[in-house]
């Protein structure tokens, strides 16, 4: 969800106004995904590197997460959206951790869109965390070295119970992954949109999905093999 700061600057406002407008885009995109029948949506809200931002911006972002969770959780539940938050949550203030857990608990029964918010998340953290859990199993004698393979490691990564990530969208014109879902995007289609996140909505989402639907996904095979079915 890149481009909040630049959008605010264009409006002659402080960066925080961009994040607030970005929260409105979150609401629009979650709603559109629900309507389009998307199974899972994962949003990069705060990276493990975002702590390096000015203290005030980090504090205001935390406040925004708190208010957004309080405000939206009822509507998530009403729309059958199941919330999950991925990342190293122990670094957040206790009241935010409590609010996150309470919001997750409120939507546990929901069976529609899986909404995953990545907060203090990093793709490298995700893989390292999975490796640590594999090592623990080996240490406990529950797993032998020979049993470690991609599937075993995958089982310990975040989102392993959800379908493969089909489409990766980055807004705001930068063409890089910035430590988002590294393991999970091995075969994702990438769409880099120039639209700044506060201006991203149903139309831009549909445009990204349209680009995705025109791609030939080969997964290592040749184009001819795919055409032959
Ligand atoms: C990146 O834009 C955006 C963020 C680091 C924060 C994303 C947060 C929100 C959209 C707020 C609401 C989120 C939830 C889940 C309620 P940037 O600040 O790097 O923009 P810039 O590159 O233009 O400076």
């Amino acid at each position: 969800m890149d481009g909040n700061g630049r959008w605010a600057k264009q409006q002659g406002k402080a960066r925080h106004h961009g994040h607030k407008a970005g929260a409105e885009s979150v609401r629009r995109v979650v709603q559109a995904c629900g309507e389009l029948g998307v199974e899972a949506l994962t949003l990069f809200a705060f990276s493990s590197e975002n702590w390096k931002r000015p203290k005030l911006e980090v504090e205001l972002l935390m406040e925004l997460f708190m208010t957004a969770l309080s405000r939206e959780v009822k509507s998530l539940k009403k729309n059958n959206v199941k919330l999950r938050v991925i990342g190293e949550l122990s670094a957040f203030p206790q009241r935010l951790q409590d609010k996150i857990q309470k919001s997750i608990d409120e939507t546990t029964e929901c069976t529609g869109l899986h909404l995953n918010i990545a907060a203090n998340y990093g793709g490298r953290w995700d893989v390292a965390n999975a490796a640590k859990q594999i090592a623990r199993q080996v240490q406990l004698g529950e797993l032998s070295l020979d049993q470690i393979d991609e599937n075993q490691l995958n089982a310990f990564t975040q989102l392993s119970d959800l379908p493969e990530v089909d489409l990766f969208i980055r807004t705001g014109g930068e063409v890089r992954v910035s430590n988002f879902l590294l393991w999970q995007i091995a075969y994702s289609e990438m769409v880099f949109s120039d639209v700044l996140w506060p201006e991203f909505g149903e139309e831009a989402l549909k445009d990204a999905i349209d680009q995705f639907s025109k791609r030939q996904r080969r997964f290592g095979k040749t184009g001819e093999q795919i055409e032959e079915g």
Side-chain angles (χ1 to χ4, degrees):
M1 300 189 282
D2 199 11
N4 294 349
R6 278 164 287 159
W7 182 85
K9 200 171 178 186
Q10 281 176 5
Q11 313 284 314
K13 291 185 172 162
R15 295 180 59 80
H16 183 59
H17 288 274
H19 295 316
K20 266 178 100 170
E24 294 303 316
S25 293
V26 169
R27 182 197 282 141
R28 287 198 301 270
V29 170
V30 169
Q31 189 176 349
C33 283
E35 286 164 9
L36 291 166
V38 171
E39 263 185 271
L41 170 70
T42 305
L43 297 169
F44 205 4
F46 193 84
S47 79
S48 37
E49 289 75 37
N50 282 151
W51 296 106
K52 295 176 193 158
R53 292 192 172 207
K55 195 166 168 270
L56 182 64
E57 182 171 346
V58 172
E59 280 170 11
L60 289 172
L61 269 170
M62 300 293 152
E63 279 307 311
L64 186 58
F65 295 149
M66 290 286 292
T67 46
L69 285 171
S70 302
R71 206 181 49 210
E72 303 297 341
V73 72
K74 268 204 182 77
S75 140
L76 292 178
K77 197 173 173 182
K78 198 172 122 231
N79 289 292
N80 203 20
V81 176
K82 192 177 172 84
L83 179 70
R84 188 186 303 193
V85 181
I86 60 168
E88 184 74 77
L89 302 184
S90 59
F92 288 125
Q94 191 58 48
R95 66 191 185 105
L96 179 54
Q97 290 183 50
D98 294 345
K99 172 68 78 184
I100 289 171
Q101 195 50 55
K102 199 163 167 266
S103 306
I104 291 171
D105 291 346
E106 291 229 15
T107 67
T108 41
E109 306 290 314
C110 295
T111 54
L113 173 71
H114 289 268
L115 172 62
N116 311 311
I117 306 289
N120 195 22
Y121 174 88
R124 289 176 175 174
W125 165 82
D126 196 350
V127 177
N129 188 47
K132 196 168 164 183
Q133 293 187 63
I134 286 266
R136 188 170 294 131
Q137 286 215 325
V138 173
Q139 201 175 38
L140 293 171
E142 291 169 3
L143 197 70
S144 73
L145 279 185
D146 294 341
Q147 285 173 306
I148 299 174
D149 60 11
E150 290 180 15
N151 290 333
Q152 286 287 346
L153 189 88
N154 184 58
F156 287 109
T157 57
Q158 307 288 311
L159 312 179
S160 62
D161 56 318
L162 295 178
E164 292 271 318
V165 175
D166 288 319
L167 172 59
F168 174 105
I169 305 171
R170 182 179 182 136
T171 64
E174 310 285 0
V175 186
R176 56 173 170 262
V177 173
S178 299
N179 201 16
F180 195 28
L181 307 165
L182 300 180
W183 174 270
Q184 295 86 346
I185 60 170
Y187 272 101
S188 303
E189 296 297 326
M190 319 290 276
V191 169
F192 293 94
S193 166
D194 286 333
V195 177
L196 302 176
W197 178 253
E199 286 175 353
F200 197 89
E202 191 176 358
E203 194 190 335
L205 176 68
K206 280 185 173 162
D207 180 59
I209 294 175
D210 193 46
Q211 290 184 52
F212 168 82
S213 65
K214 291 185 180 127
R215 306 264 175 92
Q216 186 189 52
R217 306 189 77 194
R218 293 197 285 276
F219 299 101
K221 292 184 179 173
T222 67
E224 289 75 19
Q225 284 176 303
I226 300 295
E227 279 155 26
E228 282 159 15

